[in-house]
Every structure is written in C-alpha cells, then in structure tokens.
C-alpha cells in the first residue's frame, strides 16, 4: 500500500484556487451565520425564561400593538422575495433589472427600519422600565442592527452591480450571494422574534 | 472585497510579507507564522498568569489577608483565571497548534481564510493588554472569571466593562478561528483524502470548532446583556429591577462548560499525535477515538448546569445534569484506554514529549475522577465552590492541557525551528513540574473537603500548614519554568540540527523541511492516507522521506 | 486483585472529611467512601498500567524498529466502553438514592406547604431532611420543623427566629430537631455552608431558597459564605451552635426577652 503519493494537482494554478475559494467564503459565511444565530438563540432563551419565571412587576407596562409589527413582517418577507428576484436577474446577466430589484429591497429595508423607529417612539415603556421592556429593546435592537448593516450592504451591492463599471457580474456573484444569504437569515430571525415577542 | 483575479495575487501577497524574525510581529498571512505567534503570545500571557498565581499562593501562605488588599486579591484571581483560560490555554491548544498543523494534515498550503486568520490572532494582544492594563488604570474586574451578577453589576464598573470588552474580543477571535478550522478541514482537504484518514488532531479540532461556533456566541450575547445592566441600568440580571440572576448562570455555563472541552479536546488530539510517533505503534482504536470525540462534543453541550447544583435549580434538572455529566466519563474513558493500549507493546522512547504526555494521562484521570464525583449532586452540595473544585480543575487544565502543551512543544520544536531541544533539561523540567504540580494541587482536595472555600484571601488558621505545602508546590512549578525557558532559547541557536524528520514520524508536517518553506512543500503536497502506519510501512521509506520525487514533479 | 483490595482499604479507612454533625452527614460519608473506593481503584489502575507500559515497553539502547502494528481490537473497545458505562450508571443510581434519602428530590417549589410535605415533616417516617430546593414561599410554622429566616448581606448572615421574633447573628439549633431555613439575600449571591453538615445552598437575591436538615451533634460549627460576594467574602462567617433542647429553649427565651424589652 502506498502511503505517500504526490497528487496530480498543481496548486500554483490560480484558476482552480479562485473557484474553490468562492465556495469556501459562502461556507464560512454560513458558519458565521450559525454562530450569529446562536447569539440570538441565547437572547430568545433568556427572554422565554424571564417570561416563564419572572412575573411582570405590578404597575409595569408591557403592551405591544400588533398592527405595525405585522406590517413590518410583511415588509421583510417581501424584501426577501425581491432580493431573490434580483439575484435571479443577475444570473441572467440582466444587471439593470437586478439593480432595480435590489433598490426595491433596500427601500423595503429602510421602510422596515423607519417603522421600527416609529414603534420605538410610540411604545408606552422605555428601555429600563422592566425586564420585558429591556429584553424587547435588546432583541429588536440587536436585530435592527443586523437590518441596518444588511441595508447598507444592499446599497453597496446595488452600486457594484451597475453594468459597465461594477464589480459584481455573473462571474463574480459572491458579494451579492453573500448579502442575500445574510438578508434571508435576518428575515428568518425576525420571524422567530415576531412569534415569541408579539404573538406569544 | 478583494478577489484573487490576478493570477499572481497570492505570490504578491507573500512578497510583501517581511522575512526573518520581523515576520513574527507582522500581519503575516502564513499559517505557520500565525501559529507561532499564537504560541509565543500565549506563553507570555502564561508567564503573567503564572506570576498572578504566584501572588495568590503568596497571599495564601498565611491565614490572614496580608500580602495584598482584599479587593486586589479578587482582581488578581479574576485576572489569573481569565488570562489562563482565554489568553493561554484556548489560544494555544486551538490557535497555535491548530494553525500550524491543520493545513499540513489536510494537505493544504494555508488555512481557508488567511486574512481572517491573521485578524483572529491580532485581536488577542490588544485584548490581553487591555485586560491587564485595566488593573493599573481603573482596577481590574473583581467578580471572578465567572462574573456572576449581581456582584459584577455592583462592583466597580470600569474594570468590569473592560473585562467584558476583552472577553468579547477574545471570543470573537476564537469564533473566527473556529470557522476557519471547520472550513479548512472540510473544504481544503485534498480531494483523495478521506475524513477517516485524517490525523486525530483534525477530528479534535473539528469537534472543538463546532463547540466554539455553537457556544461562544451565547457568551457574547450574555456579556452584552450584562454590560447593558452595568452601563444602561437595565435589569436583565439585576434582581432589584426584577431581573433574574440564575438566567445569567445558565447562559454563562452554556458557553463555559463547552469551553472546558474547547480547552481539552485539542489537547487530546495532540496526545494522539505524539504517542504513536514515540511508541512506534499505530494509534489504537482510531474509529472509536473519532466517535468518542463526537460523543464528547454532543454530551458537552448538555451538561452545563452541573455548575449550578446549589443555585436552587429544580430537582429534575439536577438529576438530568448529574446523569448527563457522568456519562461523559464513558467516551473520555475510551480515549484513555486507547492511549494506554497504544503504549502497550510499543517501543517507547522515554523522551520529554512522552513523559509529559504520560504525566497528562495520570493527572487527567485523577481530575476526571474528581469531576465525576463532583457531578453527583449530593457530593457537590458539600464541595461546590471550595478548594476541591479548584483542585479538580487545575488537575485538568494544568495537569491536562498545560502538560500537553509542554509535550507538544518538545515534540514539534524541531519542526518549528529546525533544531533539537536538550533532552536532559527536558526531563529535569518534567520532574520538577510533575512534583511541584502534585504538591501544589493534591492537598487542595483535602482543604476543600474540610471547609476551605475558594476565592478567599483569609481562612481558618487550621488550614495554614496545608496551604503552605501547596504554595511550596507552586514555587517548584515556578522554578520548573526556568530550565524550560533556558532550553527553548538556548536551543534555538545552539541545539543540534534536527533534519526534516528527527522522529521518523509519518504525519505530513514531517515530510517537508524543518522549518517548512512558505507554502509548506517545495513541490506537491504529499497525500498521507495512513498517518499512523507504524510497523507496516517500511523503515526505509522513513529514513529518506521523499514527499515528492523530482521525476514526478516534472511529469506535469 | 491487590489493586482492588488496596482501593477498598483506602476507601474504607482513609477519612478525609471533617466531623459529621447532621443527619445527612453519615449518608454523605457513605457516598464519599464509595466514590473514594471506586476512584482509587480506577486511578491506581490507570497509573499502574501507564507506569508498567513505560517501563516494560521502553526502547532499550540500540533497539530500532517499530512496535507491533495493532490498530485496534473490537472486543477490547467494547469492554472498556462497557466498564465505565456500568460504573457511572451504578454511581449515578447510587447517588440518586443517596440524594433521595437526604430529601433532595423533594420538589420544594410548589408543595412546601401542602399536606403531603407536612406529612414528611411530622411523621418522621425515616426521611431525613437535608434537602435543598428553590421555593417561592413556604409556611413551615405549622410543621414540626423549626422555621428560621436567614438573610444574607455583604458581609453577614442574620437569623430571624419567627418564634420570639428576634434577630440573631449566630444560629442556634436544638439537637435532633429538623430545621427549615428560608434564605434570601439582600444584595448579591452568597452561599450558606456548614462543612460539618455537608450542606450548602446559595442565598440568592430575589429568589428565596430553602434548606432543610437535622443537626445531630452538639457543638459549635462554622457557617461559611461560599460564593464570592465582594472583598470581605473571606471574612463572611458565622457560627452555628447546636445544643440540647433545654439550652436552646433558654437561649430562645433570653433573646426573646431582650428584644421585647428593647422595643
Ligand atoms: C479543561 C477543563 C475541564 C475538563 C476537561 C473538565 C472535565 C470534567 N469536569 Fe470540570 N471543571 C473545570 C474544567 C474542566 N472540567 C473548571 C475550570 C471548573 C470550575 C469552574 C469554576 O467554577 O470556576 C470545573 C468544575 C466542574 C464541576 C462543578 C463543580 C462545582 O463548582 O461545584 C463539575 C461537576 O460536575 C465538573 C465535572 C467534570 C466532569 C464530570 C468532567 C469529565 O469530562 C471528566 C471525564 C474524565 C474522566 C472520568 C477520566 C478518564 C476516564 C476513565 C479513566 C474511565 C473510567 C472512569 C470512570 C468510570 C469514572 N467540573
Ligand atoms: C486555565 C488554566 C490555569 C492554569 C494553567 C492555572 C495555573 C495555576 N493556578 Fe489557577 N485558576 C484558574 C486557571 C488556571 N490556573 C482558574 C480558571 C481559576 C479560577 C479563578 C476564579 O475563581 O475566578 C484559578 C484559580 C486559582 C486558585 C484559587 C484562587 C481562589 O479561589 O482564591 C489558585 C490557588 O492556589 C490557583 C493557583 C494556580 C497555580 C499555583 C498555578 C500554577 O500552575 C502556575 C504555574 C506557573 C508559574 C508559576 C509561572 C512561572 C513563571 C514565573 C514565576 C515568571 C514570573 C514572571 C514575571 C515576574 C514577569 N489558581
Ligand atoms: Cu457572602 Cu461570600
Ligand atoms: Cu463543567
């Protein structure tokens, strides 16, 4: 049996390296999102435990309206769909359409953030009122941070996918794909968040 | 986002790198340089953490608080625990050896994400310096490395916040490292190399990295909530504002129990590499070793509440966690018996590397057995938060992980530097360390059983004598560092030339020059499908290891 | 064999524990003996194996070549999976039994003041109370166990005796009488530990905990705070005095008088 055999692969050949590299970055991103998801999982667990064992103190206010968050959920879900459309157009080398749908996605993201801000300002409780309030702000705030980051990334991706001159092309889809994966992830987190914060 | 669309990109990067010793303080992307950066940096922090341990032991030679003020004592022990865990063991067993060895083992020229890798390392020195300087600027955190609220909320805030930021940075570093290891092992593996042909250290690092990715973010989230409590006066963990302190403990231990396996699984992997080489025998029971690592990973995620048996957890929870914890002894035991079986019938060179590895086996078994005892609720309610626990975990982290780190340095030093270490000094180092260590920590079991709580600067005078013995042991340990330091520094210039493969080992890092060239192999990467083929593979192959023959290279 | 007996001998004859002064201390010591015996056998066994291998299979000068190429052995693997599994299963069940006998499995949370638990308090059906558990609120007044409220703060324990309504800095207990401590902290987490009772329970702010036990030997024992609670954590100690019923009554009376006359 041979133990030591040289393999017939010239790793100095950059083309193969680049191709495999793109794959790994998506893989790395996915691993990172799992890690990020665990941070949220920790928050969720904390919130659920607080609810299970810590009674709301007397006189404390913790009331949530459902209308705005439902609209928000719809906004985010729609933005996932529009992003998906954008990346489909990129694959068909229709950069113009891709850009248009990216812009729609970004606008939806901004709308989400605005309406979230609006909710913050109209809520009857503040950050330090009670632990429900604190956890509510911590969870939505941390998520909002993710949405803000995502929106900025979408604007960058939008700019870079302009047709002559942009770096994002059919050969180099990674930035767009990465942003899309991230965006879907942020959406998914919102759905869980919506269920446990507002519906439970 | 830079893309390697120019074909000379990676070469260009390499050219920009400084050479000579300067490269070790640069933002190098070479995994071997980064590995050694981790190792040296970690060792410096070990000396600092050890000096702090020395301060602890000096304070404890007398039953009264005389060597330092009480709050300083708490700062010192917090720094000691934090530095030893987050700046010494975790970066070294994962970062240092992982970075150095994993690319060799999977047959790659570097890690999957070299830049991320360098970033992960360079997060560590600033975090560590910040942590230590907090002592001089504002006073360090003083609520122990566990930082339980509400103590951590009510004690001086500046030190605690700096502590949180440092630990967040170190956690981020270890998550980046973990992602990188998973991607390297799973994705950069040579196409013909099967998972079950990988050296055991790869499996250990895969398991560890899974734990890192799953559990470290929870710690990060928890510490963010804690910092809100401190800075913004929210009440997550503050009972006077309606918060719940037990939730913090659950979240903290959800990370910090897996963290103990993050500290020890890679060490298991390293021992599995070292023993076969020096016993000239295949690693016994490869397959069961792999499964036992995975079993430890899974079990390790569901045993955290054994640190909270006295926290008023409900009985069913205690019962569950007792059983789950005890069962970790089974996969761990498998590994130990397999190592003994690897020794059995071998032709063992009794060199420093083997001595430290065997010292590890003996110390860890004792620490593991006291661990299983601690897992029994009725036993733990007496000894929780006493020196019995201190003895348990030093037997494991020092007697286990640190012994393995020493063993690994003796084993891989020739590869790192191209020079041999002095054997006599090495054995002397082992002897001093082993005696000092046991003298220091064995008596602490008795202290704990008889009523000495941990984290105290003053104690019942009846315990003074035993504490002095323990401090004497610590002194021996401190002295034992000297021959080691002398050895590694002296040998770097004067040691015998090692040659490529002084141990006649079969794992891929030995099939290249010492120290290895920039992209690990001059020619093609060798495909090593039997890293433990001792006894079957012809000795002649080993004397002249020819990873690539010129004829084959030209055939492309 | 020698190993087995050596382990047994060490386990049975070496006493590493302080005096046992509560009803669950003997049970605890029994568990400790078993754990020490098993632990010693396993530990010595491993040491002997390792040291023997190192000596017997060491490479002698001039020796070259490899050891036998044994890569594994299924029946051995099964053997050393099974043995630890059986051992930990035994240890787990045994310590469960011990814990049950200490009363630790009693869910104090919800049933502390319902009829079934009063039965245990009263009937003395061999059940020894050493149990610990979190509790929202218990009203142990009606039971035979002496209720005492413990307040922990930086850096002292205060014991409030509902009977007599006074506060003491020392804990006085009558011998052979079950006690129920209801503990709560004012600031940070502390822990109530009496090594001679083999008992420890964290004292947590915002979440009362309960500790039940029966002291069995008269004497003065230290109460130690076992959870880091600040700079003077090491100095946070008190004393528990276990005394005969009469002395205890005297003490109770004298204190009651003092506190009422002061008011
Ligand atoms: C590298 C670090 C490390 C490792 C690997 C372990 C491993 C184990 N630990 Fe330890 N532990 C710590 C580090 C570690 N621990 C630290 C730092 C603390 C204190 C934290 C703090 O509060 O500050 C702690 C505290 C701690 C506690 C809490 C004590 C308390 O505070 O009251 C418990 C309780 O269950 C415990 C149990 C165990 C067990 C069962 C194992 C098992 O994994 C051990 C398994 C190994 C063996 C059993 C030996 C080999 C097996 C055989 C030879 C087979 C035969 C054996 C049997 C059948 C028993 N540990
Ligand atoms: C993870 C690894 C690790 C390691 C390796 C060590 C190593 C040592 N530890 Fe540590 N220890 C912890 C992790 C570790 N510890 C943790 C997590 C805690 C709990 C903290 C808490 O409660 O929050 C703890 C707590 C702890 C305590 C309990 C404190 C208390 O509860 O009050 C004690 C007491 O003896 C102690 C002692 C020692 C000693 C003597 C060593 C020795 O092995 C150290 C030997 C090394 C040296 C002695 C270095 C030699 C070098 C020099 C002397 C050079 C001097 C350098 C200069 C002057 C620049 N440790
Ligand atoms: Cu109170 Cu320590
Ligand atoms: Cu643990």
């Amino acid at each position: 049996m041979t133990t030591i055999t040289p393999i017939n692969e010239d790793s100095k050949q950059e083309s193969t390296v680049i191709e495999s590299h793109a794959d790994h970055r998506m893989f790395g991103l996915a691993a990172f999102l799992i890690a990020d998801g665990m941070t949220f999982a920790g928050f969720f667990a904390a919130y659920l435990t607080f609810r299970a064992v810590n009674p709301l103190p007397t006189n404390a206010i913790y009331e949530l309206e459902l209308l705005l968050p439902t609209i928000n959920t719809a906004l985010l879900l729609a933005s996932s769909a529009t992003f998906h459309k954008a990346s489909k157009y990129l694959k068909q080398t229709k950069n113009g359409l891709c850009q248009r749908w990216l812009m729609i996605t970004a606008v939806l993201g901004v709308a989400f953030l605005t309406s979230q801000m609006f909710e913050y300002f109209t809520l009857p409780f503040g950050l330090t009122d009670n632990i429900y309030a604190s956890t509510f702000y911590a969870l939505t705030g941390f998520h909002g941070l993710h949405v803000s980051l995502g929106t900025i990334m979408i604007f960058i991706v939008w700019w870079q996918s302009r047709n002559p001159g942009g770096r994002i092309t059919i050969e180099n889809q990674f930035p767009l794909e990465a942003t899309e994966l991230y965006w879907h992830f942020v959406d998914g987190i919102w759905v869980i968040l919506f269920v446990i914060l507002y519906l439970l | 986002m830079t893309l390697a669309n120019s074909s000379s990109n990676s070469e260009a990067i390499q050219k920009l790198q400084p050479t000579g010793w300067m490269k070790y303080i640069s933002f190098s992307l070479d995994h071997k340089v980064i590995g050694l950066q981790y190792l040296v940096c970690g060792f410096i922090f070990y000396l600092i953490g050890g000096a702090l341990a020395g301060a602890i032991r000096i304070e404890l030679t007398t039953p009264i608080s005389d060597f330092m003020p009480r709050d300083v004592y708490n700062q010192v022990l917090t720094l000691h625990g934090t530095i030893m865990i987050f700046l010494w063991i975790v970066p070294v067993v994962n970062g240092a050896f992982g970075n150095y060895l994993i690319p060799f083992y999977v047959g790659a020229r570097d890690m999957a994400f070299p830049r991320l890798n360098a970033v992960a390392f360079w997060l560590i020195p600033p975090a560590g310096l910040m942590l230590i300087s907090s002592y001089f600027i504002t006073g360090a955190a003083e609520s122990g490395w566990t930082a339980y609220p509400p103590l951590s909320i009510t004690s001086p805030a500046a030190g605690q916040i700096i502590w949180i930021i440092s630990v967040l940075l170190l956690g981020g570093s270890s998550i980046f490292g973990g992602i990188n290891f998973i991607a390297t092992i799973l994705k950069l593996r040579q196409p013909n190399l099967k998972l079950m042909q990988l050296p055991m250290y790869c499996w250990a690092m895969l398991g560890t990295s899974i734990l890192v990715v799953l559990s470290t973010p929870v710690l990060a989230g928890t510490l963010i909530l804690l910092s809100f409590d401190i800075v913004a006066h929210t009440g997550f963990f503050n009972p006077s504002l309606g918060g719940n302190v037990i939730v913090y403990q659950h979240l903290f231990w959800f990370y910090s129990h897996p963290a103990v396996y993050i500290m020890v699984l890679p060490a298991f992997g390293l021992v599995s590499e070292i023993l076969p080489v020096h016993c000239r025998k295949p690693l016994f029971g490869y397959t069961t070793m792999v499964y036992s690592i995975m079993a430890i990973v899974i079990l390790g995620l569901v045993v955290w509440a054994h640190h909270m048996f006295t926290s008023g957890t409900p009985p069913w929870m205690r019962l569950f966690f007792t059983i789950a914890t005890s069962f970790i002894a089974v996969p761990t035991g498998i590994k130990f018996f397999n190592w003994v079986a690897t020794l059995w019938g071998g032709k063992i060179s009794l060199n420093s590397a083997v001595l430290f590895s065997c010292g590890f086996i003996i110390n860890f078994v004792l620490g593991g057995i006291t661990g299983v005892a601690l897992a029994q609720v009725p036993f733990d309610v007496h000894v929780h938060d006493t020196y019995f626990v201190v003895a348990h975990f030093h037997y494991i982290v020092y007697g286990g992980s640190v012994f393995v780190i020493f063993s690994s340095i003796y084993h891989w030093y020739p590869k790192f530097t191209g020079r041999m270490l002095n054997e006599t000094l090495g054995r002397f180092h082992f002897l001093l360390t082993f005696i000092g260590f046991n003298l220091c920590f064995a008596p602490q079991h008795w202290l704990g059983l008889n009523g000495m709580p941990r984290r105290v600067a003053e104690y019942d005078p009846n315990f003074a004598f035993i504490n002095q013995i323990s401090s004497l042991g610590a002194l021996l340990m401190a002295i034992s560092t000297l021959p080691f330091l002398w050895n590694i520094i002296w040998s770097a210039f004067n040691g015998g030339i090692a040659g490529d493969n002084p141990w006649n080992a079969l794992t891929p890092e030995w099939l290249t020059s010492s120290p290895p060239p920039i992209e690990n192999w001059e020619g093609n990467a060798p495909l090593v499908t039997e890293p433990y083929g001792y006894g079957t593979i012809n000795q002649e192959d080993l004397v002249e290891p020819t990873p690539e023959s010129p004829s084959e290279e030209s055939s492309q | 064999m020698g190993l087995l007996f050596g382990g047994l001998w060490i386990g049975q004859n070496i006493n590493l524990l302080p005096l046992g002064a509560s009803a669950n201390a003997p049970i605890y010591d029994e568990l400790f003996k078993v754990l020490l015996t098993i632990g010693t056998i396993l530990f010595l066994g491993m040491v002997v194996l390792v040291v023997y291998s190192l000596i017997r299979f060491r490479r002698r000068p001039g020796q070259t070549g490899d050891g036998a190429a044994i890569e594994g052995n299924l029946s051995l693997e099964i053997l050393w999976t099974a043995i630890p599994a059986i051992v930990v299963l035994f240890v787990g069940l045994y310590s469960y039994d011990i814990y049950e006998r200490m009363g630790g499995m009693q869910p104090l949370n919800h049933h502390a003041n319902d009829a079934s638990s009063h039965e245990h308090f009263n009937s003395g059906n061999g059940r020894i109370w050493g149990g610990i558990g979190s509790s929202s609120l218990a009203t142990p007044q009606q039971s035979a166990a002496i209720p005492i409220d413990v307040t922990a703060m930086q850096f002292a324990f205060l014991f409030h005796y509902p009977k007599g309504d006074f506060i003491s800095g020392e804990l006085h207990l009558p011998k052979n009488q079950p006690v129920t401590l209801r503990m709560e902290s004012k600031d940070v987490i502390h822990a109530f530990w009496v090594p001679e009772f083999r008992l420890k329970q964290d004292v947590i702010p915002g979440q009362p905990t309960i500790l039940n036990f029966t002291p069995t030997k008269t004497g003065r024992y230290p109460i130690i705070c076992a959870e880091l609670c600040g700079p003077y954590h090491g100095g946070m100690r008190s004393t528990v005095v276990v005394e005969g019923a009469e002395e205890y009554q005297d003490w109770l009376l004298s204190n009651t008088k003092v506190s009422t006359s002061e008011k």
Side-chain angles (χ1 to χ4, degrees):
Chain A
M1 77 196 70
T2 46
T3 327
I4 304 155
T5 39
I7 55 161
N8 288 331
E9 183 238 347
D10 189 0
S11 61
K12 290 262 156 66
Q13 234 170 3
E14 284 293 327
S15 63
T16 56
V17 172
I18 292 169
E19 250 182 30
S20 52
H21 225 88
D23 276 349
H24 302 157
R25 284 182 302 179
M26 279 315 269
F27 182 85
L29 179 66
F32 178 77
L33 291 181
I34 291 177
D36 204 16
M38 285 306 290
T39 320
F40 278 106
F43 287 160
F44 293 154
Y47 176 75
L48 292 175
T49 328
F50 287 148
R51 279 192 65 124
V53 297
N54 285 51
L56 192 65
T58 40
N59 305 331
I61 315 167
Y62 181 66
E63 281 164 16
L64 293 170
E65 292 286 342
L66 258 181
L67 180 64
L68 209 53
T70 314
I71 296 174
N72 268 347
T73 313
L75 287 177
L76 268 194
L77 287 180
S79 75
S80 258
T82 54
F83 206 139
H84 187 68
K85 229 177 161 81
S87 76
K88 236 171 53 195
Y89 281 122
L90 183 75
K91 289 198 178 71
Q92 299 165 7
T93 58
K94 294 179 181 149
N95 282 41
L97 281 169
C98 170
Q99 266 196 308
R100 177 181 305 163
W101 284 102
L102 277 177
M103 188 40 101
I104 296 175
T105 314
V107 168
L108 286 171
V110 172
F112 172 86
L113 287 170
T114 321
S115 108
Q116 179 87 54
M117 274 298 151
F118 180 75
E119 191 191 9
Y120 276 9
F121 286 120
T122 50
L123 279 173
F125 50 81
L127 173 65
T128 54
D129 282 7
N130 56 60
I131 42 168
Y132 293 100
S134 306
T135 325
F136 171 84
Y137 283 112
L139 268 172
T140 52
F142 195 54
H143 178 264
L145 217 63
H146 279 74
V147 178
S148 316
L149 192 70
T151 313
I152 295 172
M153 277 169 22
I154 294 175
F155 276 119
I156 296 174
V157 170
W158 170 80
W159 177 242
Q160 290 294 0
S161 53
R162 68 194 187 275
N163 197 342
R167 307 186 67 174
I168 297 174
T169 55
I170 183 133
E171 287 88 36
N172 176 28
Q173 299 184 14
F174 171 72
L176 189 113
E177 280 179 345
T179 314
E180 184 182 355
L181 184 63
Y182 175 81
W183 193 251
H184 291 325
F185 166 79
V186 171
D187 277 7
I189 294 286
W190 174 261
V191 173
I192 304 175
L193 209 149
F194 179 67
V195 171
I196 70 168
L197 277 185
Y198 295 93
L199 299 186
L200 277 189
Chain B
M1 273 171 209
T2 48
L3 274 171
N5 42 15
S6 75
S7 64
S8 58
N9 197 331
S10 85
E11 278 162 41
I13 290 171
Q14 298 291 3
K15 279 198 195 97
L16 284 176
Q17 301 281 312
T19 46
W21 65 271
M22 278 289 283
K23 72 180 175 212
Y24 292 104
I25 51 169
S26 73
F27 191 80
S28 173
L29 302 185
D30 182 350
H31 71 99
K32 299 179 290 295
V33 175
I34 295 178
L36 292 180
Q37 284 173 331
Y38 267 110
L39 185 61
V40 172
C41 174
F43 194 80
I44 293 170
F45 282 119
Y46 167 66
L47 291 182
I48 298 172
L52 292 167
I56 293 178
R57 286 316 322 171
I58 292 173
E59 170 66 72
L60 293 177
T61 45
T62 57
I64 50 168
S65 166
D66 47 6
F67 182 64
M68 51 188 148
R70 294 174 172 82
D71 53 337
V72 173
Y73 180 84
N74 287 351
Q75 297 178 15
V76 165
L77 83 91
T78 305
L79 284 180
H80 165 71
T82 314
I83 289 177
M84 286 297 199
I85 289 179
F86 292 109
L87 291 159
W88 160 235
I89 308 281
V90 173
V92 170
V93 291
N94 291 279
F97 293 104
N99 271 303
Y100 204 96
L101 298 174
I102 294 291
F104 280 111
Y105 286 173
V106 298
R109 293 186 191 276
D110 210 316
M111 298 283 287
F113 312 113
R115 214 175 294 269
L116 185 69
N117 204 15
V119 170
F121 169 73
W122 282 105
L123 283 175
I124 290 180
L129 289 180
M130 202 162 84
L131 183 69
I132 292 165
S133 62
S134 74
Y135 173 80
F136 300 101
I137 299 167
T138 61
E142 44 188 79
S143 48
W145 83 283
T146 49
Y148 276 10
L151 182 62
S152 50
I153 301 175
T154 53
S155 58
Q160 197 67 48
I161 287 291
I162 295 178
W163 182 87
I164 290 176
I165 296 173
S166 320
V167 174
L168 284 177
L169 289 177
L170 296 169
S173 156
S174 107
I175 294 174
F176 291 155
I179 292 173
N180 219 335
F181 287 126
I182 296 181
T184 308
I185 294 169
L186 294 182
K187 293 284 175 175
L188 284 197
R189 211 168 61 250
Q190 285 191 13
N192 315 358
L193 194 59
K194 297 195 188 65
L195 275 174
M196 290 307 264
Q197 294 168 336
L198 287 175
M200 192 55 60
Y201 183 60
C202 289
W203 281 102
M205 282 307 295
L206 188 62
T208 310
S209 302
I210 292 173
L211 282 179
V212 167
V213 167
L214 290 182
S215 64
T216 318
V218 178
L219 176 74
T222 315
L223 292 183
I224 290 172
L225 293 186
L226 184 63
S227 64
F228 270 112
D229 274 5
I230 297 172
V231 197
H233 305 291
T234 52
F236 302 111
F237 308 127
N238 192 343
S240 55
L241 299 174
N244 188 325
V245 296
I246 306 299
V247 171
Y248 174 88
Q249 299 183 6
H250 278 294
L251 292 172
F252 179 84
W253 290 115
F254 181 82
Y255 163 73
S256 289
H257 183 80
V260 310
Y261 297 107
I262 294 170
M263 290 189 273
V264 94
L265 277 180
F268 287 174
L270 292 168
V271 171
S272 305
E273 300 306 329
I274 295 168
L275 284 183
V277 174
H278 298 282
C279 300
R280 315 305 307 161
K281 269 190 69 195
L283 182 66
F284 200 86
Y286 182 93
T287 325
T288 44
M289 291 292 243
V290 171
Y291 289 140
S292 64
I293 288 178
M294 291 308 153
I296 293 176
V297 168
I298 293 165
L299 279 173
L301 282 171
V302 294
V303 302
W304 73 88
H306 64 218
H307 297 272
M308 303 166 55
F309 284 150
T310 67
S311 306
T313 37
W316 65 264
M317 201 188 263
R318 296 184 195 153
L319 184 65
F320 171 79
F321 282 103
T322 289
I323 302 290
T325 308
S326 308
F327 266 96
I328 290 199
V330 177
T332 320
I334 293 176
K335 301 192 76 71
F336 280 79
F337 293 120
N338 276 322
W339 286 323
V340 173
T342 307
L343 292 174
W344 193 268
K347 297 222 164 70
I348 310 168
S349 335
L350 280 182
N351 54 29
S352 319
V354 171
L355 287 175
F356 269 105
S357 282
C358 292
F360 149 80
I361 296 181
I362 290 172
N363 295 331
F364 191 96
V365 167
L366 185 56
I369 287 170
T370 54
V372 173
L374 283 173
Q376 315 305 319
V377 197
F379 181 77
D380 187 67
V381 294
H382 176 46
V383 291
H384 170 70
D385 261 333
T386 66
Y387 264 81
F388 192 89
V389 176
V390 174
H392 154 69
F393 69 76
H394 282 92
Y395 260 89
I396 286 188
V397 290
Y398 196 98
S401 306
V402 179
F403 268 60
V404 173
I405 292 172
F406 283 135
S407 174
S408 307
I409 293 176
Y410 283 105
H411 182 73
W412 276 290
Y413 188 87
K415 182 50 62 182
F416 295 162
T417 61
R419 295 193 183 256
M420 301 300 286
L421 282 170
N422 181 312
E423 256 310 306
T424 322
L425 274 179
R427 285 177 207 186
F428 180 59
H429 173 214
F430 169 75
L431 211 65
L432 266 186
T433 314
F434 191 76
I435 295 173
F437 165 76
N438 280 290
L439 203 61
C440 181
F441 294 111
Q444 293 184 356
H445 291 112
W446 183 87
L447 285 176
L449 287 168
N450 282 274
M452 179 157 165
R454 57 191 280 209
R455 297 168 164 175
V456 295
E458 54 206 310
Y459 54 87
D460 189 334
N462 291 335
F463 300 141
F465 178 62
I466 302 290
N467 267 301
Q468 280 150 11
I469 293 183
S470 177
S471 297
L472 185 71
L475 179 67
L476 274 186
M477 272 197 275
I479 296 174
S480 79
T481 330
L482 299 177
F484 175 73
L485 273 175
W486 171 252
N487 202 352
I488 50 173
I489 294 170
W490 187 83
S491 302
F493 304 101
N494 305 308
I497 300 296
D500 292 353
N501 192 354
W503 313 124
N504 284 336
L506 290 177
T507 38
E509 79 275 26
W510 299 102
L511 309 179
T512 182
S513 58
S514 311
I518 284 251
E519 294 212 302
N520 295 352
W521 292 279
E522 292 297 350
N524 296 317
L527 175 70
V528 176
T529 53
E530 278 192 45
Y532 304 114
Y534 301 101
T536 38
I537 284 164
N538 206 333
Q539 277 288 296
E540 258 74 86
D541 289 346
L542 299 171
V543 181
E544 279 293 317
T546 44
E548 73 279 278
S549 52
S551 60
E552 268 163 321
E553 199 180 13
S554 58
S555 74
Q556 296 186 9
Chain C
M1 267 301 114
L3 199 71
L4 215 67
F5 287 118
L8 276 174
W9 185 84
I10 289 178
Q12 300 307 315
N13 290 294
I14 304 269
N15 185 18
L16 295 173
L17 286 164
L19 175 79
S22 75
N24 62 310
I27 312 180
Y28 183 93
D29 295 6
E30 185 189 323
L31 170 71
F32 183 77
K33 279 201 166 107
V34 172
L35 289 178
L36 184 63
T37 309
I38 296 177
T40 314
I41 294 172
L42 285 171
F43 176 63
L44 288 183
M46 286 299 276
V47 173
V48 167
L49 280 176
V50 170
V51 173
Y52 177 80
S53 315
L54 284 184
I55 295 173
R56 168 86 170 64
F57 301 111
R58 73 183 184 281
R59 178 176 291 257
R60 289 165 181 86
Q63 206 175 32
T64 51
D66 287 352
I70 312 160
E71 301 208 334
N73 179 323
L74 189 63
S75 36
L76 270 179
E77 300 284 355
I78 293 174
L79 180 76
W80 59 52
T81 311
I83 291 181
I86 292 168
V87 172
V88 294
L89 207 63
F90 165 74
V91 169
L93 288 176
Y94 178 67
S95 76
Y96 172 78
D97 177 51
I98 294 276
Y99 202 44
E100 179 84 75
R101 277 157 68 194
M102 289 180 177
M105 295 310 294
Q106 217 60 33
L108 293 164
N109 297 31
H110 306 296
H111 309 288
N113 47 4
D114 68 26
S116 71
S117 79
H118 283 166
E119 243 174 56
H120 294 309
F121 270 117
N122 297 324
S123 58
N125 52 359
R127 187 175 288 278
I128 300 150
W129 281 92
I132 45 184
S134 68
S135 163
S136 39
L137 255 188
T139 48
Q141 276 91 336
Q142 304 112 327
S143 68
I146 300 172
I148 299 166
D149 295 323
V150 182
T151 309
M153 60 178 77
Q154 285 166 327
F155 298 90
F157 292 104
L158 292 180
F159 303 98
H160 174 246
Y161 286 74
K163 190 178 174 191
D165 192 24
F166 64 91
I167 289 174
S168 159
E170 251 184 10
L171 180 62
H172 282 247
L173 299 173
K175 195 177 132 181
N176 291 336
Q177 265 274 331
V179 196
T180 294
L181 301 185
R182 184 183 170 283
M183 312 196 283
E184 192 165 358
S185 164
K186 278 207 164 137
D187 35 47
V188 301
I189 306 177
H190 304 267
F192 175 96
W193 180 34
V194 181
E196 279 78 4
F197 292 171
R198 314 279 193 273
L199 278 178
K200 184 183 292 108
Q201 172 60 50
D202 285 4
V203 189
I204 302 166
Q207 187 178 325
T209 48
I210 290 242
L211 186 61
N212 300 293
F213 59 92
T214 311
T216 53
K217 281 201 182 73
T218 53
R220 299 173 65 86
Y221 311 109
I223 297 173
I224 302 168
C225 173
E227 185 70 53
L228 180 62
C229 53
Y232 288 85
H233 160 61
M236 183 165 163
R237 289 163 159 267
S238 180
T239 315
V240 48
V241 183
V242 182
E243 48 202 0
E246 274 159 38
E247 286 128 305
Y248 172 71
Q249 284 305 333
D250 289 349
W251 178 83
L252 208 62
L253 275 174
S254 67
N255 273 285
T256 314
K257 263 183 230 142
V258 169
S259 62
T260 40
S261 64
E262 266 175 2
K263 269 178 198 164

